[in-house]
Amino acid sequence: MKTIIAVLIALGVTCWGVYQVTTRGADNGAFQSYEYATIRWGGRENTHLIRPSGKVEMLGPLLARVQRPDRTDDRTFYMNVAMNAAAKEGYEFAGMTNDEIVMKRPVAR
C-alpha cells in the first residue's frame, strides 16, 4: 500500500513538473526592445525624420532657425542639428549611410 501511495505521489509531482515546463512559452515582455527613427538628408528645406510609427516630420522649419557658421558644410552641420534634436527625445546613434542617419531608443515597457 505504501508503494502505491509513493508511486502516485511521484507520478503527481512528475505531471506537475511537466505542466510547469510546457506552459511557459516566450518571454512575457515585448518582442521589440528598440524602436528606430531615420533622418534623411534632402537639403535644408527637405530634410525629414521618419518616426517609428511611420509618420514623416519635415525638419525644414527647425533647421531654418539655426544660423550656419561660415565655411561649414551644409549637410554635416544640419544633420548634426537634426541628430541633437532626436537625441533630446531619447534617441541615440545606430548607423548611417551617405544621406541617412538611423537613431534608436529603447521601447518603453
Side-chain angles (χ1 to χ4, degrees):
M1 187 69 167
K2 289 182 182 180
T3 307
I4 294 174
I5 293 174
V7 169
L8 290 175
I9 290 174
L11 182 62
V13 169
T14 303
C15 289
W16 178 79
V18 168
Y19 171 77
Q20 289 297 319
V21 170
T22 58
T23 58
R24 294 190 180 156
D27 291 337
N28 292 336
F31 174 73
Q32 185 177 1
S33 56
Y34 287 98
E35 58 184 5
Y36 297 88
T38 303
I39 302 168
R40 174 82 173 147
W41 174 252
R44 191 174 83 181
E45 296 81 23
N46 294 318
T47 296
H48 51 276
L49 173 71
I50 304 169
R51 296 198 172 271
S53 64
K55 181 181 175 191
V56 177
E57 180 180 335
M58 298 305 289
L59 300 178
L62 169 73
L63 300 179
R65 291 185 297 209
V66 180
Q67 180 66 33
R68 182 180 59 85
D70 291 336
R71 298 182 308 180
T72 308
D73 180 55
D74 280 354
R75 182 188 163 284
T76 304
F77 180 78
Y78 289 120
M79 289 293 270
N80 187 43
V81 171
M83 282 182 65
N84 284 315
K88 287 180 183 177
E89 297 179 16
Y91 287 96
E92 61 185 45
F93 176 78
M96 67 184 289
T97 64
N98 284 340
D99 292 330
E100 295 178 346
I101 296 176
V102 178
M103 307 284 287
K104 69 178 181 177
R105 71 177 173 189
V107 173
R109 294 182 184 202

